[in-house]
């Protein structure tokens, strides 16, 4: 997230307005556990169960594709609220992050790394940084950050529909692939 947030701060697309004084700590803790459960369940269903069951029955590449599509489809509901371009960028980013989760899961042979990455992304973006998450707006975050340039910050959907995120996710995917020597597609 810092690889995305820092360039957005530097170019003025987001503005840091300080630290919130009246944080509702009960909601903060509830969001923590809520996002932990949500991230674990999505990874358990999409990568832990679906991906692994499918790759036993069909070619691995097809299993990966179906797992990614199943994960992605549940995130489409608010993605096109700000137009086709933002929705298209959001889809690309969703497919990229899902592919990263798949690579981590297949290499480690468990869902814990992908779950951790997923959880940190959701919780930190929404409850610490304070930017929109998949079209959801927060008022219970530690930092007060304002999206100044809507195009660079993905409009109402959030940085998940930002082309800056696309660039960073491509770099991460290349590094993940290079560092773990990606799985053999058979």
């Amino acid at each position: 997230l810092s690889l995305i947030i820092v360039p957005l701060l530097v170019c003025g697309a987001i503005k840091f307005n300080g630290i919130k004084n009246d944080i509702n700590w009960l909601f903060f803790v509830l969001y923590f556990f809520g996002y932990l459960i949500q991230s674990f369940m999505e990874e358990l269903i999409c990568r832990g169960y679906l991906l692994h069951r499918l790759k036993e029955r069909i070619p691995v590449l097809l299993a990966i594709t179906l797992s990614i599509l199943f994960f992605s489809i549940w995130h489409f509901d608010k993605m096109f609220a700000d137009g086709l371009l933002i929705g298209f960028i959001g889809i690309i980013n969703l497919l990229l992050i899902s592919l990263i989760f798949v690579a981590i899961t297949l290499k480690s042979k468990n869902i814990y790394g992908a779950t951790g990455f997923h959880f940190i992304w959701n919780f930190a973006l929404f409850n610490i940084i304070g930017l929109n998450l998949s079209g959801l707006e927060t008022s219970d975050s530690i930092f007060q950050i304002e999206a100044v340039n809507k195009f660079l910050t993905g409009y109402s959907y959030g940085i998940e529909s930002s082309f800056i995120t696309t660039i960073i996710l491509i770099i991460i995917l290349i590094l993940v692939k290079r560092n773990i020597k990606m799985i053999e597609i058979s």
Side-chain angles (χ1 to χ4, degrees):
L1 281 172
S2 61
L3 295 173
I4 299 164
I5 300 300
V6 170
L8 290 173
L9 277 168
V10 169
C11 75
I14 58 176
K15 180 180 167 190
F16 178 72
N17 292 329
I19 296 175
K20 197 170 185 181
N21 293 327
D22 59 343
I23 297 168
N24 185 331
W25 291 106
L26 175 61
F27 277 124
F28 190 82
V29 170
L30 290 174
Y31 272 118
F32 178 90
F33 288 108
Y35 277 123
L36 189 59
I37 292 166
Q38 175 262 336
S39 300
F40 179 76
M41 292 307 295
E42 282 188 16
E43 295 307 316
L44 180 66
I45 292 166
C46 295
R47 258 80 56 188
Y49 181 77
L50 185 63
L51 175 64
H52 283 85
R53 298 307 267 167
L54 287 174
K55 75 183 183 103
E56 294 171 354
R57 294 172 171 78
I58 61 177
V60 175
L61 188 56
L62 183 56
I64 290 170
T65 302
L66 291 174
S67 169
I68 288 171
L69 291 175
F70 186 78
F71 173 78
S72 300
I73 201 162
W74 301 108
H75 293 82
F76 287 173
D77 63 331
K78 297 178 183 177
M79 198 172 285
F80 291 94
D82 296 307
L84 286 177
L85 178 61
I86 295 302
F88 180 72
I89 294 169
I91 288 173
I92 298 290
N93 291 345
L94 196 52
L95 297 175
L96 288 169
I97 196 72
S98 191
L99 188 55
I100 291 167
F101 292 163
V102 164
I104 292 168
T105 298
L106 290 176
K107 176 58 180 173
S108 66
K109 295 181 172 65
N110 65 57
I111 61 169
Y112 302 121
T115 298
F117 193 134
H118 194 159
F119 163 72
I120 290 167
W121 178 278
N122 289 349
F123 182 72
L125 183 60
F126 198 66
N127 295 98
I128 296 173
I129 298 167
L131 289 174
N132 289 6
L133 173 69
S134 302
L136 301 173
E137 293 181 33
T138 184
S139 60
D140 288 315
S141 60
I142 293 176
F143 298 123
Q144 294 178 327
I145 298 200
E146 174 186 354
V148 177
N149 182 317
K150 298 292 185 189
F151 179 72
L152 291 178
T153 58
Y155 287 88
S156 65
Y157 197 76
I159 63 169
E160 294 148 313
S161 283
S162 166
F163 78 91
I164 303 247
T165 302
T166 309
I167 294 166
I168 298 303
L169 290 177
I170 289 170
I171 292 168
I172 290 170
L173 188 58
I174 290 168
L175 293 173
V176 165
K177 183 178 179 201
R178 183 174 293 153
N179 286 333
I180 65 174
K181 304 291 188 242
M182 201 64 165
I183 51 115
E184 283 186 43
I185 306 294
S186 54

